[in-house]
């Protein structure tokens, strides 16, 4: 059996691939600086029985291009760090956040369960809160107990992990005063150093602006040749693994 060639997000009956070449710039010049949104190509599929020729009936799949808005990437650097995302949202450096700023940020609609890619974590995490004014939310102060009964700080844990597994790309050093991000994680929240967190570009913003919606709706009215090209690209990407990438 072959593995699926595309990881996708399903939204409104359409599938949107987690690949950078499915993102595209949108014409929304009046967006505020904190908006990094991009257009996102996807596809809709339907399956039915079609009678071809004489009496022969075949199972067929119909595929058509779709568009949506994605949180997107940094338009200059590619990956979008959580630090940059929060600083653009608040209009100031993280180091200048007051406790009131932290509370306002954590309640902001754009931050609500924001999907994050975190070094050393295989699964995508979801933002819960950012409160470094609480001493416990600093890498050197947040201490947890290991299975052998010994204790280790978050700073020590990530530093040790970075040395043991350099392929994870954990940025060093992890200082004791490094702010921690609180993540939703079942019964117990987890804490990740801020410098290890990037915004997952492949998610839809909770409250898209009207200008962004208008730009996407305009893009959806694509020329027939462009729609055909996108459909062919998607078919190739979907079935790449089953046909040897051809």
């Amino acid at each position: 059996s072959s593995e699926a060639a595309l990881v996708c997000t399903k939204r409104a009956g359409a599938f949107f691939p987690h690949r950078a070449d499915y993102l595209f710039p949108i014409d929304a010049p009046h967006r505020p600086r904190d908006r990094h949104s991009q257009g996102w190509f996807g596809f809709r599929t339907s399956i039915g029985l079609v009678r071809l020729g004489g009496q022969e009936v075949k199972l067929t799949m119909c595929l058509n291009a779709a568009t949506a808005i994605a949180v997107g990437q940094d338009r200059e650097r590619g990956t979008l760090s959580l630090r940059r995302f929060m600083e653009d949202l608040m209009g100031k450096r993280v180091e200048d956040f007051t406790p009131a700023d932290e509370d306002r940020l954590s309640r902001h609609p754009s931050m609500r369960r924001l999907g994050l890619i975190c070094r050393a974590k295989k699964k995508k995490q979801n933002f819960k809160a950012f409160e470094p004014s609480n001493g416990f939310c600093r890498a050197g102060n947040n201490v947890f107990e290991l299975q052998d009964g010994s204790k280790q700080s978050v700073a020590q844990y990530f530093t040790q992990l970075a040395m043991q597994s350099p392929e994870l790309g954990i940025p060093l050093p992890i200082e004791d005063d490094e702010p921690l991000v609180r993540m939703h994680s079942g019964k117990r929240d987890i804490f990740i150093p801020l410098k290890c967190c990037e915004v997952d570009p492949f998610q839809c913003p909770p409250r898209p602006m009207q200008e962004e919606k208008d730009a996407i709706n305009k893009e959806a009215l694509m020329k027939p040749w462009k729609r055909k090209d996108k459909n062919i690209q998607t078919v190739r990407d979907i079935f790449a693994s089953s046909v040897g990438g051809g």
Side-chain angles (χ1 to χ4, degrees):
S1 62
S2 61
E3 296 182 359
L6 288 178
V7 175
C8 298
T9 291
K10 185 177 181 182
R11 183 176 178 87
F15 298 87
F16 295 92
H18 291 199
R19 278 184 27 175
D21 56 339
Y22 280 79
L23 298 176
F24 60 91
I26 57 176
D27 183 19
H30 300 105
R31 287 178 298 175
R33 188 183 171 205
D34 62 277
R35 302 291 290 192
H36 299 273
S37 52
Q38 294 176 284
W40 196 0
F41 281 121
F43 58 93
R44 288 185 171 85
T45 59
S46 60
I47 297 176
L49 295 173
V50 176
R51 189 179 298 277
L52 301 175
Q55 300 299 316
E56 185 179 12
V57 177
K58 287 190 176 183
L59 183 67
T60 62
M61 182 181 74
C62 178
L63 180 146
N64 200 6
T67 54
I69 303 173
V71 167
Q73 301 174 313
D74 187 308
R75 290 184 284 274
E76 297 175 354
R77 307 175 189 175
T79 58
L80 178 58
S81 70
L82 179 59
R83 170 183 278 270
R84 167 78 184 278
F85 188 86
M86 295 192 303
E87 289 181 342
D88 285 352
L89 201 62
M90 300 301 292
K92 60 173 68 175
R93 297 169 64 249
V94 163
E95 288 73 17
D96 298 328
F97 285 7
T98 65
D101 290 331
E102 296 169 5
D103 182 69
R104 186 159 59 93
L105 173 77
S106 298
R107 296 172 182 271
H108 196 285
S110 295
M111 299 299 300
R112 193 170 299 147
R113 298 193 72 88
L114 180 68
L116 300 173
I117 300 169
C118 303
R119 304 296 173 91
K121 294 292 179 182
K122 294 182 180 179
K123 294 183 179 179
K124 183 173 71 175
Q125 305 296 315
N126 292 105
F127 175 89
K128 183 174 183 179
F130 184 69
E131 43 196 358
S133 59
N134 177 348
F136 184 70
C137 294
R138 297 283 180 173
N141 297 339
N142 191 312
V143 177
F144 57 95
E145 188 171 321
L146 303 176
Q147 291 183 345
D148 61 5
S150 62
K151 294 184 177 181
Q152 193 174 47
S153 71
V154 171
Q156 293 170 331
Y157 172 79
F158 275 85
T159 298
Q160 182 178 338
L161 188 61
M163 295 179 176
Q164 292 175 345
S165 305
E167 70 277 5
L168 294 175
I170 296 174
L172 293 175
I174 305 293
E175 305 287 359
D176 284 347
D177 64 348
E178 172 69 17
L180 300 179
V181 183
R182 186 191 295 263
M183 309 288 186
H184 288 279
S185 183
K187 294 182 179 179
R188 291 185 66 182
D189 295 339
I190 62 173
F191 296 85
I192 307 291
L194 176 60
K195 63 166 53 180
C196 296
C197 300
E198 296 174 354
V199 176
D200 180 4
F202 304 112
Q203 56 186 315
C204 297
R207 293 184 181 180
M209 299 174 58
Q210 187 59 49
E211 187 179 22
E212 295 170 330
K213 294 179 182 179
D214 293 342
I216 288 297
N217 290 336
K218 182 179 179 181
E219 188 65 36
L221 301 174
M222 64 185 77
K223 299 291 185 182
W225 61 265
K226 186 174 183 179
R227 185 176 296 275
K228 177 182 176 181
D229 288 347
K230 295 308 297 182
N231 289 341
I232 291 174
Q233 176 193 354
T234 301
V235 170
R236 286 175 174 167
D237 290 340
I238 292 174
F239 296 107
S241 60
S242 61
V243 296

